[in-house]
Amino acid sequence: MRFRLLAVVLFGLISHAACARAQEVPASQPVARLPGIVVDVKSRQVRVDAEMLGVEAPLEFFCVLNGTNEHESVLRAAAKPSDIHLALLMIGLKPGEPVKYSEAAKKWFPPQGPPLQIHIEWEKAGKTVSYPAYRLLRDIRTKKEMTPMTWIFAGSRLMENGTYAADVTGYTVSVVNFDLTLIDIPDLASNSNETLEWERNADLAPAQGTKVTMVIEPAGKIDHAGAGAAAGADRAGADMASAPAMGTLGTQPVPLSDVTTDQPRMDRLRERWTKAVSPHAKELRQAAQAHYEVINAMRREQQRLIDEADRIQRTIDELEKDYQNMTTPRPEPLP
């Protein structure tokens, strides 16, 4: 429990520090950088380095972290979802809340958060090509492009051990609802395999392996019941956390009660937190840096072992094939 609390505090401190750094960027240099990410604070734009995938199957994601659910996504990116989260904080956005199921109401509630526009840019014949992200998706059955829509900054969750969930799952941008995704669609959409409806728009998307930039910006308010209907809010049967199927709720949250916040108590708790935690901000940041460096090093070693195992398996397969060729009887030639 103590580790989880420290992790929550740490993430808040890093987020606060990131926002502070963004505000301190001079007007002549309104750009900040995170691994694989460029943050244009003045223009309120986050640019993420990514790569096109060539998936020919129903999709659950628009973008995932490298090495995760690449078989169900349009793009992959090396940038960690938690870093993209920080980048969105730096341009003044606050996360909402992922999709959730209420036992009391026996209903699913759609994710909430500030709306986002996502564009994809790449170089073609010496020129920059740019398309809205939704145009790179099309209906599996009709082959029609997804209608104009926006995503939302839901913000994923912290896991029991304090880890930012989307860094583990790799869920960066979803096209169906997941409670561990960083950026989700605004409507209820089941992630059950039988209800998936989007595929990569092969007529418009660049070739597999093309280096692209995913550009994320704040969007104005829209009528999600009209322009955002692409996600299919009326579907049911979600397969999330073994909860009952989602129902049709539209895009506005339904209040569960009239409970109000005890603000004086919240102020006292905040003051206690500030006194107890703020003096250790430097140590917490150092611990976080060490944590990420160690984990990344272990993942690199894990990938090296996987590559080595693949190489050994290929050698085994070649030897087995040669052995079979040598020991398989051959018919004698006809006289």
Side-chain angles (χ1 to χ4, degrees):
M1 179 60 112
R2 180 178 297 177
F3 178 78
R4 184 183 180 188
L5 176 60
L6 285 175
V8 173
V9 170
L10 172 61
F11 193 76
L13 287 171
I14 295 175
S15 301
H16 178 76
C19 290
R21 289 197 301 271
Q23 294 171 355
E24 293 171 359
V25 175
S28 58
Q29 292 182 326
V31 174
R33 296 181 184 274
L34 294 166
I37 305 169
V38 175
V39 187
D40 190 329
V41 178
K42 184 176 181 180
S43 299
R44 302 190 72 196
Q45 185 181 86
V46 174
R47 303 176 64 85
V48 181
D49 296 336
E51 181 180 350
M52 286 298 304
L53 299 169
V55 175
E56 301 293 342
L59 301 173
E60 295 187 356
F61 305 96
F62 184 79
C63 182
V64 297
L65 179 66
N66 285 359
T68 58
N69 291 52
E70 295 181 5
H71 62 291
E72 299 174 308
S73 181
V74 177
L75 305 177
R76 66 178 181 181
K80 293 189 299 185
S82 59
D83 283 343
I84 299 176
H85 184 124
L86 291 181
L88 293 173
L89 291 175
M90 294 169 73
I91 63 172
L93 297 178
K94 294 183 179 180
E97 186 176 19
V99 64
K100 63 180 180 180
Y101 181 77
S102 168
E103 285 290 348
K106 301 298 181 183
K107 293 180 180 179
W108 281 98
F109 289 85
Q112 302 294 314
L116 302 173
Q117 290 180 341
I118 302 179
H119 286 75
I120 304 303
E121 295 180 358
W122 68 93
E123 295 296 320
K124 184 177 181 181
K127 297 182 179 180
T128 299
V129 179
S130 177
Y131 284 104
Y134 60 79
R135 292 199 60 193
L136 272 62
L137 296 165
R138 67 184 182 189
D139 189 280
I140 293 174
R141 295 170 296 279
T142 66
K143 305 303 179 184
K144 292 183 179 180
E145 291 183 2
M146 178 184 278
T147 55
M149 56 89 70
T150 61
W151 276 268
I152 59 170
F153 179 21
S156 189
R157 298 186 187 278
L158 285 175
M159 301 177 72
E160 287 295 327
N161 63 359
T163 305
Y164 188 75
D167 283 351
V168 177
T169 63
Y171 299 174
T172 303
V173 182
S174 299
V175 297
V176 292
N177 298 140
F178 288 97
D179 64 343
L180 302 182
T181 195
L182 167 65
I183 297 173
D184 206 342
I185 58 174
D187 303 307
L188 288 176
S190 169
N191 55 47
S192 298
N193 289 334
E194 63 272 14
T195 64
L196 300 180
E197 59 179 319
W198 304 112
E199 67 179 7
R200 181 177 62 91
N201 185 359
D203 295 335
L204 187 63
Q208 179 178 357
T210 301
K211 302 298 182 182
V212 302
T213 301
M214 181 170 64
V215 184
I216 309 173
E217 301 172 291
K221 294 182 179 180
I222 68 167
D223 179 8
H224 292 304
D234 291 335
R235 291 179 298 162
D239 180 22
M240 292 185 287
S242 300
M246 295 188 301
T248 302
L249 295 175
T251 60
Q252 297 301 320
V254 179
L256 297 180
S257 72
D258 58 357
V259 176
T260 58
T261 303
D262 183 347
Q263 193 58 47
R265 184 169 185 269
M266 294 298 295
D267 292 340
R268 291 194 300 272
L269 290 172
R270 182 179 181 85
E271 182 180 0
R272 177 185 175 188
W273 180 92
T274 301
K275 291 180 179 179
V277 177
S278 293
H280 305 289
K282 181 178 179 180
E283 290 81 1
L284 287 169
R285 283 193 290 269
Q286 291 174 342
Q289 184 64 35
H291 169 79
Y292 285 123
E293 288 176 356
V294 169
I295 294 300
N296 287 337
M298 288 183 174
R299 285 175 176 165
R300 287 194 297 270
E301 177 64 12
Q302 180 185 46
Q303 187 60 52
R304 186 189 68 79
L305 294 174
I306 291 173
D307 293 342
E308 183 67 13
D310 287 343
R311 185 186 67 79
I312 295 172
Q313 185 61 52
R314 286 195 297 272
T315 302
I316 292 173
D317 292 342
E318 291 172 359
L319 293 176
E320 290 284 4
K321 182 178 179 180
D322 291 343
Y323 179 78
Q324 290 176 3
N325 289 337
M326 288 185 290
T327 58
T328 300
R330 297 289 189 273
E332 296 183 1
L334 295 174

